[in-house]
Amino acid sequence: MVAEVSGTFEERLAAVRNRIETACVRAGRSPDDVLLIPVTKGIDPDLVTVAAREGLDVFGESKVQEARQKIGMCPGNVVWHMIGHLQSNKVKEAVRLFAMIHSIDSLELLRLVAGACEDAGRTLPVCIEVNISGEGSKYGLPAAEVERVIVAGNDLGRIEVRGLMAIPPAAEEPEASRPYFRRLRELRDRLRQSTGVELAELSMGMSHDFDIAIEEGATMVRVGSILFGKRGNKA
């Protein structure tokens, strides 16, 4: 999967940015249209500070409880996205901590988030997580159910459905992810037509395959190990 990383954080970040630019050139896109989200699961707050000094200002966390402990120890000028599975009993805290949630995987969860946003007096952008591969072990809605949730989201106050998110099956070769990324983009394009919602964001691609995701239309890539190395690393 992801090779062992080497070099300084600055060197690794430069390599990732170069790969983003190269993938955008191949796809005829601007690098400005792709948001790099460093994933900080298991990463020491001091290393988040190093990353923030290099101009990174949006970070992704997978667990509410880790975010709760970490965010106060990180620079206050960065924002946080929830990218992992969100449990219903963590919704209120997630609404307080995060600027965006990528992993809405049911209508019930969407309604809970809308209610928590109403209580907090804020509006929150979200992505709908799609089980694009149909794997039983994956979170996410079946593709056939996504339209119903988007339409329902339009009727909920305090929610902005911004796009779709997916994780393809694990594979040794990055190219194996392409059909799933393409499928998500094509689903997004159909849903734009049927719902009238812009769905500008496609959150797809991680350390192993983000180049392929960008070629297939990703607007947000979630990259962790190739930037930070093994979990538990310190600056």
Side-chain angles (χ1 to χ4, degrees):
M1 300 292 285
V2 179
E4 188 73 20
V5 298
S6 60
T8 66
F9 177 82
E10 293 78 8
E11 290 168 340
R12 297 194 297 268
L13 176 59
V16 168
R17 284 173 165 162
N18 182 66
R19 285 176 58 183
I20 290 172
E21 291 176 7
T22 301
C24 285
V25 168
R26 290 196 298 265
R29 303 177 61 196
S30 168
D32 294 336
D33 295 334
V34 179
L35 175 64
L36 171 61
I37 302 178
V39 177
T40 58
K41 179 179 179 181
I43 299 303
D44 191 87
D46 289 345
L47 194 47
V48 177
T49 300
V50 170
R53 290 194 195 115
E54 294 299 311
L56 296 168
D57 56 7
V58 179
F59 293 83
E61 268 295 336
S62 300
K63 293 183 181 296
V64 171
Q65 55 268 40
E66 183 172 347
R68 180 201 312 133
Q69 297 167 356
K70 181 180 296 180
I71 287 176
M73 296 185 283
C74 295
N77 62 327
V78 303
V79 298
W80 295 85
H81 288 195
M82 175 66 179
I83 60 172
H85 177 63
L86 178 57
Q87 297 172 303
S88 59
N89 64 346
K90 299 291 196 307
V91 164
K92 288 186 178 181
E93 195 166 16
V95 165
R96 179 177 65 83
L97 292 170
F98 294 104
M100 186 172 185
I101 296 173
H102 292 224
S103 50
I104 299 295
D105 60 2
S106 71
L107 180 54
E108 177 186 8
L109 182 61
L110 188 66
R111 287 173 173 155
L112 288 173
V113 171
C117 287
E118 184 65 36
D119 292 343
R122 65 171 302 194
T123 297
L124 194 68
V126 303
C127 286
I128 307 299
E129 183 174 4
V130 184
N131 186 345
I132 203 68
S133 64
E135 293 176 280
S137 59
K138 284 277 198 307
Y139 292 110
L141 283 160
E145 296 181 18
V146 177
E147 181 172 354
R148 177 176 66 94
V149 175
I150 291 173
V151 171
N154 279 341
D155 296 331
L156 294 172
R158 304 289 188 175
I159 289 289
E160 295 178 3
V161 180
R162 292 275 184 87
L164 306 179
M165 185 267 261
I167 301 172
E172 287 294 327
E173 292 299 324
E175 191 64 33
S177 297
R178 187 182 299 276
Y180 301 98
F181 295 146
R182 183 171 297 166
R183 195 177 300 169
L184 191 71
R185 172 174 50 82
E186 291 172 346
L187 174 64
R188 188 277 308 273
D189 293 346
R190 292 195 301 271
L191 292 169
R192 273 179 168 172
Q193 294 294 319
S194 61
T195 67
V197 180
E198 184 180 2
L199 302 174
E201 305 293 355
L202 285 176
S203 173
M204 59 188 195
M206 297 186 288
S207 290
H208 182 52
D209 54 17
F210 69 88
D211 320 66
I212 305 297
I214 290 169
E215 291 174 7
E216 292 298 330
T219 63
M220 297 184 287
V221 293
R222 310 178 305 272
V223 176
S225 57
I226 199 170
L227 278 175
F228 296 118
K230 294 179 180 179
R231 292 173 188 166
N233 276 5
K234 298 179 181 293

